[in-house]
Amino acid sequence: MTDYPSLHMIIDGQRVAGEGRRTHAVVNPATGETIGELPLADAADLDRALETAAKGFRIWRDSTPQQRAAVLQGAARLMLERQEDLARIATMEEGKTLPEARIEVMMNVGLFNFYAGEVFRIYGRTLVRPAGQRSTVMHEPVGPVAAFAPWNFPLGNPGRKLGAPIAAGCSVILKAAEETPASALGVLQCLLDAGLPKEVAQAVFGVPDEVSRHLLASPIIRKLSFTGSTVIGKHLAKLAADNMLRTTMELGGHGPVLVFGDADIDKALDTMAASKYRNAGQVCVSPTRFIVEESVFDRFRDGFVERVGRIKVGDGLEPASQMGPMANPRRPEAMDRLIGDATTRGAKLHTGGERVGNAGYFYAPTVLSEIPLDAAIMNEEPFGPVALLNPFGGEEAMVAEANRLPYGLAAYAWTDSAARQKRLVREIETGMLGINTTMIGGADSPFGGVKWSGHGSEDGPEGVLACMVTKAVHEG
């Protein structure tokens, strides 16, 4: 089994350890035990990282597409070679099952390989002008990027935050979650080992508000990329506004799932019950609010509860486990609060609703039905292993409920009606929509939301262009 590595920051290519510094205890959520001590940055560390990022941008903006592609492809190969070690570290830090962590490694491999090709497709255009004149439109790297990644995808989120700026020709300072540092460091190390200049990408950790205020106040930073909660996203957007920074904000969601009477109900149940409890529901695009047509509600509810009852909860490193613990002690506390409020207001609890065991942060897969719309859990992203099932009278009411909240990251619909599918594509307010599927992402597909779920996109060509600015050149 992989030993948990010693922890450090990477500033100007140097490993900065914790001796004589403030540290943060990293905990294994399956046991609740401390597995590492993470050094936290002070102002001098952050200033050094900023100075290095400025140097790194001057180096990397002049790199050729061939150089960028070689680094990205090389990092992808290294991640594939190191898949098992990276996956085990992610499971030890975040709790998800080992198969899920392996998939996360492969998400990065696919994304880096896609970006390695995309660097050759950053096209401009030549405008039509009279003879003797020339007008062109071109894309240039925006500059040093401050990238903030959360803990729920400890490998995939850092991969997104690093891959796009590097493909675009930017430098990047990554502040990944203090709960899952070794995973992020493992991804960055693959890039450095693949030949990325040490000045181009760095990793710092610290008190989040201290780090964000310091980095975003610097004139060196020209772009903010953030994945996390809407509350924190709004706060960071205000800080970014002071320097008019470009922003990509992938924020919270409250994924609606519309299930119509003409759908293949068994397929919907098999697919959605598994998807709901992936990573213990700690997924921004997790299907959460099941909006079920009345004619099939009883059948769907009973089938869902039956499938959830078969999920095996345990340490993510154990082969039999299908759902690991929640990532930190805050999440079971949130589950108790939200589920308790819902049942107090009259919601029906069918299974779960309680913690599991006396060690770690395990929580039972939970199903609630007929939840009043004023319950907190119907309005606040639960970010946990709880499914909310409510009956509705027809398409109009179901779409209205899907659009009721200010979130719009991911939505799902199950129907065999081609005409209805076209209507839902038009009417549902979301950045990503899955119809009869949960596959809403891919290396070549933009990932992002609308409304309070943020703006801008990661992945796809859009992910690279989000780290670039547009320049028009006119020659007489």
Side-chain angles (χ1 to χ4, degrees), residues 163-183:
I166 289 167
C170 300
S171 59
V172 56
I173 300 175
L174 171 68
K175 195 211 81 69
E178 285 69 30
E179 291 94 334
T180 56
S183 299

Side-chain angles (χ1 to χ4, degrees), residues 84-130:
E84 198 64 18
D85 284 348
L86 289 169
R88 284 185 173 274
I89 288 169
T91 294
M92 292 170 70
E93 290 186 324
E94 198 271 349
K96 66 178 59 188
T97 65
L98 198 53
E100 289 181 16
R102 292 186 184 113
I103 291 171
E104 205 173 324
V105 176
M106 296 308 298
M107 289 168 53
N108 277 352
V109 171
L111 182 63
F112 279 29
N113 280 326
F114 174 81
Y115 280 159
E118 197 62 24
V119 299
F120 296 97
R121 297 188 287 269
I122 303 173
Y123 302 131
R125 66 184 189 273
T126 301
L127 307 181
V128 178
R129 291 292 183 268

Side-chain angles (χ1 to χ4, degrees), residues 285-286 409-412 431-435 437-442 445-447:
V285 297
S286 181
L409 185 59
Y412 308 88
M432 297 168 285
L433 175 62
I435 299 178
T437 183
T438 56
M439 298 297 292
I440 58 169
S445 175
F447 188 100

Side-chain angles (χ1 to χ4, degrees), residues 287-466:
T288 299
R289 288 181 296 141
F290 288 80
I291 301 165
V292 186
E293 196 163 19
E294 286 178 340
S295 61
V296 292
F297 179 77
D298 289 350
R299 176 185 171 193
F300 187 87
R301 177 200 60 211
D302 295 347
F304 199 94
V305 172
E306 190 271 331
R307 285 164 174 79
V308 171
R310 298 199 297 261
I311 295 174
K312 293 180 173 60
V313 178
D315 188 327
L317 293 176
E318 295 296 328
S321 297
Q322 296 171 300
M323 190 184 95
M326 304 198 78
N328 55 63
R330 303 186 301 275
R331 300 317 308 152
E333 291 169 2
M335 293 299 97
D336 284 343
R337 173 177 61 84
L338 292 169
I339 293 168
D341 171 75
T343 55
T344 297
R345 294 175 184 271
K348 297 179 180 178
L349 175 63
H350 296 276
T351 188
E354 61 185 5
R355 304 182 192 213
V356 177
N358 55 12
Y361 313 128
F362 295 95
Y363 206 90
T366 301
V367 181
L368 295 172
S369 75
E370 298 172 71
I371 312 104
L373 295 185
D374 64 352
I377 202 167
M378 291 299 295
N379 300 279
E380 176 183 338
E381 182 181 26
F383 217 63
V386 55
L388 313 172
L389 281 56
N390 276 342
F392 285 84
E395 182 178 326
E396 183 176 352
M398 294 168 71
V399 171
E401 169 58 18
N403 293 337
R404 176 177 61 85
L405 297 182
Y407 303 103
L409 185 59
Y412 308 88
W414 289 83
T415 176
D416 283 347
S417 167
R420 176 179 283 129
Q421 291 173 8
K422 293 182 177 65
R423 292 194 297 271
L424 296 176
V425 168
R426 179 180 177 86
E427 295 298 330
I428 295 179
E429 299 167 353
T430 187
M432 297 168 285
L433 175 62
I435 299 178
N436 297 336
T437 183
T438 56
M439 298 297 292
I440 58 169
D444 57 353
S445 175
F447 188 100
V450 299
K451 302 193 291 187
W452 282 13
S453 291
H455 55 254
S457 298
E458 297 185 291
D459 302 353
E462 293 83 358
V464 179
L465 289 176

Side-chain angles (χ1 to χ4, degrees), residues 135-345:
S135 293
T136 56
V137 179
M138 56 192 295
H139 302 292
E140 297 180 337
V142 65
V145 176
F148 299 82
W151 46 260
N152 62 324
F153 281 83
L155 298 164
N157 284 321
R160 279 176 166 156
K161 298 304 178 192
L162 292 165
I166 289 167
C170 300
S171 59
V172 56
I173 300 175
L174 171 68
K175 195 211 81 69
E178 285 69 30
E179 291 94 334
T180 56
S183 299
L185 291 169
V187 176
L188 174 55
Q189 195 62 53
C190 288
L191 286 159
L192 295 172
D193 291 347
L196 184 73
K198 63 184 178 62
E199 299 89 350
V200 176
Q202 304 171 87
V204 300
F205 302 95
V207 178
D209 192 53
E210 291 180 12
V211 175
S212 59
R213 288 183 184 277
H214 197 107
L215 294 182
L216 299 182
S218 170
I220 292 173
I221 297 298
R222 298 309 313 148
K223 155 94 186 205
L224 161 66
S225 179
F226 173 74
T227 297
S229 72
T230 295
V231 171
I232 301 301
K234 289 181 177 181
H235 168 67
L236 294 181
K238 291 174 183 176
L239 296 179
D242 287 340
N243 275 337
M244 291 300 294
L245 301 184
R246 296 293 181 105
T247 57
T248 296
M249 311 295 283
E250 196 267 278
L251 308 181
H254 206 312
V257 184
L258 289 74
V259 181
F260 292 92
D262 62 6
D264 183 335
I265 299 300
D266 286 332
K267 182 180 178 182
L269 286 167
D270 290 339
T271 304
M272 301 313 294
S275 179
K276 169 66 254 185
Y277 301 95
R278 178 172 67 109
N279 198 23
Q282 300 166 125
V283 180
C284 56
V285 297
S286 181
T288 299
R289 288 181 296 141
F290 288 80
I291 301 165
V292 186
E293 196 163 19
E294 286 178 340
S295 61
V296 292
F297 179 77
D298 289 350
R299 176 185 171 193
F300 187 87
R301 177 200 60 211
D302 295 347
F304 199 94
V305 172
E306 190 271 331
R307 285 164 174 79
V308 171
R310 298 199 297 261
I311 295 174
K312 293 180 173 60
V313 178
D315 188 327
L317 293 176
E318 295 296 328
S321 297
Q322 296 171 300
M323 190 184 95
M326 304 198 78
N328 55 63
R330 303 186 301 275
R331 300 317 308 152
E333 291 169 2
M335 293 299 97
D336 284 343
R337 173 177 61 84
L338 292 169
I339 293 168
D341 171 75
T343 55
T344 297
R345 294 175 184 271

